[in-house]
Amino acid sequence: MESSRRAWELENAVKLVSPHRDALYDYDEVSLKATMNERPWKNDPHYFKNVRISAVALLKMVMHARSGGSLEIMGLMQGKIAGNTFVVTDAIRLPVEGTETRVNASAEADEYSARYLELCRENGRMENAIGWYHSHPGYGCWLSGIDVSTQMLHQSFQDPFLAVVIDPDRTISAGKVEIGAFRTFPENYKPANPNSGDEYQTIPLYKIEDFGAHASQYYSLEVSHYKSTLDSHLLELLWNKYWVSTLSQSPLFTNRDYSSKQMLDLSQKIQNAQKAIQAGARGGPKTGAKDSALDKLVRDSNKIAGEEITGLLAGDIKAKLFNDVESLSVQASVP
């Protein structure tokens, strides 16, 4: 279990901050007030460029996302800003009503978060709410039209504020946390190179239209993870629960519905591409469009194949590990 936790930290590039000075947890109220008075992000829509998330907060968000199954979940993130970086120290679940395509925050959730932050301050934890997170089960990390509207509202009244999206299904399939952090642009702002820095994502057909319609209204931030000596014990306790609920199980079995949907979606994309190529052949060749469509199909196919191979290897390793432990226990018990 200890080796699996270290592998998870390595896979997600969790870095240990100074063991003698847990600097990322220091709350400098004077410096923060000075930054809030200057508000440099008002003059530069791209001011914030990085997000540093503690391993404890990351694990809590992933566990929360997994608990929702096919339904979206939502929560808040606590922390501070340090220059052009958001530093997330903790995550809070919110009692919200979720569906497969959206989450609906209620007055109860607002009261809960306000009371939680009040209790934190009474106990010496002065960090503010600096962002919200929610899940996209099986369809990647990006902002939908509703997400963009929600984030714009937060940035209007609670800035600096951050939006984080986690895909729990792809996290289990890939063995690495699928996460994205985003900020929206001001209204009527037009970026010089929209989506120039975004990596390619596999988006299901039923989400492609929503994905493309709002992609120029926000940008992504670089995400990194850290841990400190202060949260090592808490991380160990959380890991025991995370191991039982996710990593000790076969990803192919746990994510069988997601895998089936991925294969069905890929087959529909292949059919659409075939029809487009046939139509193009009748009306004249459009090599660029054909190559682009085929390139996306190859990427999607390779991604699914890679996840399946990863699941098979993980299952084989775990079977060997646990079967060997069981056989050694039986041998030890025989006189």
Side-chain angles (χ1 to χ4, degrees):
M1 192 178 296
E2 176 67 19
S3 61
S4 64
R5 179 171 65 84
R6 291 179 180 176
W8 181 84
E9 292 177 358
L10 182 63
E11 185 69 29
N12 290 285
V14 177
K15 298 180 180 178
L16 177 67
V17 296
S18 172
H20 304 293
R21 187 172 62 88
D22 296 293
L24 291 177
Y25 284 90
D26 292 340
Y27 188 80
D28 189 345
E29 189 172 356
V30 175
S31 176
L32 183 61
K33 281 186 176 180
T35 305
M36 292 297 292
N37 289 333
E38 293 176 7
R39 303 178 76 80
W41 51 87
K42 287 295 183 182
N43 300 321
D44 182 7
H46 289 271
Y47 176 76
F48 290 106
K49 296 177 173 61
N50 305 290
V51 184
R52 300 193 68 179
I53 303 176
S54 73
V56 167
L58 179 67
L59 200 54
K60 288 170 75 172
M61 288 190 285
V62 172
M63 291 171 66
H64 187 196
R66 283 297 301 169
S67 70
S70 60
L71 302 181
E72 290 192 11
I73 55 86
M74 179 181 171
L76 283 181
M77 296 177 293
Q78 273 184 289
K80 62 180 183 178
I81 55 172
N84 63 356
T85 301
F86 284 91
V87 180
V88 179
T89 57
D90 201 2
I92 314 159
R93 295 187 180 205
L94 288 181
V96 299
E97 192 176 314
T99 69
E100 292 188 354
T101 56
R102 63 181 296 176
V103 282
N104 303 309
S106 61
E108 180 186 359
D110 294 335
E111 293 173 7
Y112 177 88
S113 58
R115 180 58 180 158
Y116 183 92
L117 293 172
E118 182 183 344
L119 290 172
C120 285
R121 293 188 181 97
E122 290 176 3
N123 287 275
R125 290 187 56 192
M126 307 305 294
E127 297 93 344
N128 294 314
I130 60 166
W132 66 295
Y133 70 89
H134 70 290
S135 63
H136 279 183
Y139 51 95
C141 299
W142 47 279
L143 296 185
S144 66
I146 296 173
D147 298 338
V148 168
S149 299
T150 301
Q151 179 61 18
M152 281 185 170
L153 187 65
H154 282 305
Q155 288 184 206
S156 298
F157 297 100
Q158 293 178 267
D159 221 18
F161 216 74
L162 173 72
V164 163
V165 182
I166 292 177
D167 187 332
D169 292 343
R170 296 187 181 184
T171 293
I172 295 300
S173 293
K176 176 184 177 183
V177 178
E178 186 83 8
I179 188 171
F182 309 97
R183 293 260 304 168
T184 53
F185 294 120
E187 195 172 356
N188 299 323
Y189 175 81
K190 294 183 179 180
N193 297 307
N195 310 320
S196 60
D198 290 352
E199 295 182 359
Y200 174 78
Q201 291 194 62
T202 300
I203 308 297
L205 281 173
Y206 71 97
K207 287 288 185 180
I208 283 181
E209 186 176 347
D210 194 21
F211 171 75
H214 308 281
S216 62
Q217 294 178 273
Y218 62 90
Y219 72 100
S220 59
L221 287 75
E222 186 73 26
V223 179
S224 60
H225 312 296
Y226 70 92
K227 68 173 182 177
S228 81
T229 54
L230 291 175
D231 55 19
S232 294
H233 181 59
L234 183 57
L235 180 62
E236 183 179 346
L237 294 176
L238 281 171
W239 183 259
N240 293 339
K241 184 176 180 181
Y242 183 67
W243 164 262
V244 172
S245 62
T246 56
L247 298 184
S248 63
Q249 302 173 6
S250 167
L252 295 179
F253 178 77
T254 305
N255 263 13
R256 57 190 182 278
D257 290 339
Y258 165 70
S259 299
S260 299
K261 290 178 181 177
Q262 286 276 91
M263 294 298 295
L264 179 61
D265 186 71
L266 179 62
S267 68
Q268 291 174 343
K269 288 179 179 178
I270 292 173
Q271 290 177 6
N272 291 346
Q274 185 178 10
K275 291 178 182 177
I277 291 172
Q278 291 173 348
R282 289 193 295 269
K286 295 181 180 180
T287 308
K290 291 179 187 177
D291 291 345
S292 177
L294 291 175
D295 181 58
K296 290 180 180 179
L297 283 176
V298 170
R299 289 190 184 189
D300 291 352
S301 302
N302 289 339
K303 176 181 174 296
I304 294 173
E307 290 177 352
E308 293 297 311
I309 292 172
T310 300
L312 289 169
L313 289 173
D316 188 50
I317 292 171
K318 289 170 186 175
K320 272 187 160 297
L321 175 64
F322 294 125
N323 289 342
D324 288 347
V325 169
E326 184 179 356
S327 62
L328 287 174
S329 300
V330 172
Q331 291 175 12
S333 63
V334 175

